[in-house]
Amino acid sequence: RKDGIKIEGDVVESYVVVHNAAELREYVREHKNTHIVSVDCEWQGINHVDGQLRSIQLATAPGVAAYIRFMDDQLNYVFDVSYKEAGAIMGQWLDDPKVKYVGHHLPADLPWMHHVLGLKWYDKAFLDTEFAQQTVDEHTELGLERLGMLYTTLGRYDRDLTVWSKKNPDK
């Protein structure tokens, strides 16, 4: 890229969907030695007190991520154990004091992780990409899609979803 950021080859992608406690235990076992974890929560509702956690995404390296699916598209809880039980499984890894989080506007996701899943959140933030960008340029747009275009060669990450949503307005 002309801005001096060098991209080293293609990123090998290893994405998984975690559907149940057994798969979650396996994912935790495989990644328990990873200490920097990117996190993102998706939810339904206004806040962590009266809303519903739909999913959590965890990334442990470029191209390596898991989508932990708690709810289906109709907002039915589909995981085979409760949020707290799933959180206890994740906590075996994520509650380690050495594990730190990278996220985009972590103050929005950490309350969900703590209140719904029971995960520890104090002293867990390593980097918040939104707030980091604000220190670089306080006048820039801070949306994740804009920062993704600014700092990567991927383009808009949400393009395919936007196109699908327009073609499927009833879903």
Side-chain angles (χ1 to χ4, degrees):
R1 293 177 42 175
K2 65 183 177 183
D3 59 8
I5 298 174
K6 186 177 180 183
I7 307 297
E8 296 288 338
D10 293 329
V11 173
V12 177
E13 297 174 352
S14 175
Y15 303 128
V16 298
V17 177
V18 176
H19 300 93
N20 56 53
E23 293 174 0
L24 183 57
R25 282 186 197 93
E26 179 63 18
Y27 183 79
V28 166
R29 187 190 64 73
E30 291 174 1
H31 295 275
K32 67 182 177 186
N33 293 321
T34 303
H35 297 133
I36 300 293
V37 181
S38 294
V39 298
D40 185 40
C41 295
E42 303 301 331
W43 60 82
Q44 169 73 23
I46 296 172
N47 61 48
H48 62 281
V49 175
D50 61 6
Q52 296 174 299
L53 182 62
R54 297 177 63 155
S55 67
I56 184 171
Q57 293 79 236
L58 304 172
T60 56
V64 179
Y67 170 75
I68 302 169
R69 182 176 186 248
F70 295 117
M71 302 184 94
D72 66 15
D73 295 341
Q74 289 74 44
L75 302 178
N76 298 306
Y77 191 84
V78 294
F79 212 71
D80 66 338
V81 298
S82 70
Y83 284 121
K84 292 294 186 195
E85 291 172 281
I89 295 167
M90 287 186 274
Q92 294 171 18
W93 163 40
L94 298 176
D95 283 348
D96 181 330
K98 293 181 282 189
V99 173
K100 304 294 182 192
Y101 298 128
V102 172
H104 188 76
H105 197 83
L106 282 171
D109 289 333
L110 291 178
W112 287 92
M113 294 168 66
H114 177 69
H115 182 78
V116 176
L117 297 170
L119 294 169
K120 293 179 181 176
W121 68 336
Y122 180 74
D123 197 27
K124 298 295 281 178
F126 179 75
L127 175 69
D128 188 307
T129 57
E130 180 183 37
F131 297 138
Q133 179 61 30
Q134 191 171 28
T135 63
V136 171
D137 180 358
E138 65 184 73
H139 302 290
T140 191
E141 291 185 44
L142 299 173
L144 189 56
E145 67 283 346
R146 294 289 186 192
L147 297 182
M149 290 190 313
L150 181 63
Y151 292 110
T152 74
T153 59
L154 299 174
R156 283 194 67 127
Y157 73 91
D158 61 343
R159 182 181 169 279
D160 293 340
L161 176 61
T162 301
V163 170
W164 182 88
S165 295
K166 288 182 179 185
K167 289 181 180 178
N168 300 280
D170 297 335
K171 298 186 180 190

